[in-house]
């Protein structure tokens, strides 16, 4: 006898992904002669669900190593950048409860370009990042339940084996045994 059973479980009910590229303008204390290096570190973020969107709030530090005073000195200028990304959710299951948001950073904030702008007094740093959010919630799944004695139907392919090699070996062994016993 078959019947249906509803099971309440936790599952990913919605996802969203966003790739962001931003240009950050930094104002160092010294007029730069050239940029020697740029890197992004210390990224942290948190999230909050708002209807069909997740707002990811985060921050990271941009470090620019640069030469100044006509290439006679070097310094590292650091600035913390705050951001908010609004990520649209795509639902698979609209009827869920107890939702929690999980954030996965697919691409940590990374400097793709750093240039000197504004008559040589500022840096313009291009930073890219990519974030995936997943909403996990309680949802109901439906399964078909069978009695304990139920045998699942399988489509077995016809299988044949050639027993000529094993039977001939068996008959050879039998005739050899017959020869051995007759010589006694």
């Amino acid at each position: 006898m078959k019947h249906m059973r509803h099971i309440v479980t936790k599952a990913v009910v919605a996802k969203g992904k966003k790739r962001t590229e931003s240009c950050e303008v930094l104002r160092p204390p010294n007029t730069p002669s050239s940029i020697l290096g740029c890197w992004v570190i210390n990224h942290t973020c948190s999230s909050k669900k708002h209807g069909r969107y997740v707002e990811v709030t985060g921050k990271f530090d941009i470090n620019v190593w640069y030469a100044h005073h006509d290439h006679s000195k070097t310094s590292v200028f650091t600035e913390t950048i705050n951001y908010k990304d609004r990520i649209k959710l795509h639902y698979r299951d609209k009827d869920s409860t107890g939702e929690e948001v999980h954030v996965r950073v697919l691409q940590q904030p990374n400097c793709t370009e750093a240039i000197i702008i504004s008559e040589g007094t500022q840096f313009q740093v291009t930073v890219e990042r990519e974030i995936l959010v997943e909403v996990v919630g309680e949802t109901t799944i439906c399964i078909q339940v069978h009695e304990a004695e139920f045998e699942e139907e399988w489509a077995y392919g016809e299988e044949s084996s050639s027993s000529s090699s094993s039977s001939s070996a068996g008959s050879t062994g039998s005739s050899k045994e017959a020869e051995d016993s007759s010589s006694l």
Side-chain angles (χ1 to χ4, degrees):
M1 177 175 180
K2 301 181 206 178
H3 60 280
M4 300 301 282
R5 174 92 25 103
H6 293 272
I7 297 175
V8 177
T9 187
K10 286 192 170 225
V12 174
V13 296
K15 283 187 178 189
K17 183 166 72 168
K18 185 173 187 178
R19 184 184 173 283
T20 305
E21 190 174 273
S22 62
C23 286
E24 310 298 338
V25 175
L26 312 178
R27 293 164 186 82
N30 303 301
T31 302
S33 306
S34 63
I35 295 175
L36 305 171
C38 183
W39 59 98
V40 180
I41 60 172
N42 298 330
H43 177 233
T44 60
C45 63
S46 61
S47 63
K48 186 165 179 149
K49 186 173 175 286
H50 297 283
R52 298 185 67 84
Y53 291 86
V54 170
E55 187 175 85
V56 177
T57 304
K59 66 179 181 174
F60 53 83
D61 294 336
I62 297 179
N63 295 282
V64 181
W65 179 34
Y66 68 104
H68 52 91
H69 291 92
D70 289 326
H71 300 286
S72 64
K73 295 184 179 182
T74 65
S75 296
V76 174
F77 178 72
T78 301
E79 188 166 320
T80 300
I81 304 296
N82 295 297
Y83 70 87
K84 280 188 184 180
D85 286 341
R86 189 174 175 182
I87 302 173
K88 184 178 180 185
L89 292 171
H90 301 278
Y91 274 86
R92 281 229 170 120
D93 189 343
K94 297 190 184 343
D95 300 323
S96 66
T97 59
E99 294 180 340
E100 50 191 69
V101 178
H102 298 268
V103 176
R104 194 165 28 151
V105 180
L106 300 177
Q107 168 67 58
Q108 289 288 345
N110 181 45
C111 172
T112 58
E113 182 182 47
I115 58 173
I116 298 172
I117 61 166
S118 296
E119 299 171 11
T121 61
Q122 300 172 355
F123 302 126
Q124 179 179 293
V125 179
T126 304
V127 177
E128 68 176 358
R129 64 184 175 274
E130 188 171 17
I131 295 174
L132 171 73
V133 293
E134 295 177 325
V135 177
V136 174
E138 285 186 359
T139 187
T140 303
I141 60 172
C142 192
I143 62 166
Q144 195 173 54
V145 179
H146 301 273
E147 293 179 7
E149 298 295 316
F150 174 77
E151 177 67 31
E152 184 179 1
E153 290 183 29
W154 283 74
Y156 296 104
E158 288 298 315
E159 187 176 326
S160 63
S161 62
S162 172
S163 59
S164 60
S165 61
S166 56
S167 63
S168 65
S171 63
T172 306
S174 299
S175 24
K176 179 147 175 76
E177 284 174 9
E179 286 175 21
D180 289 340
S181 59
S182 64
S183 60
L184 289 174

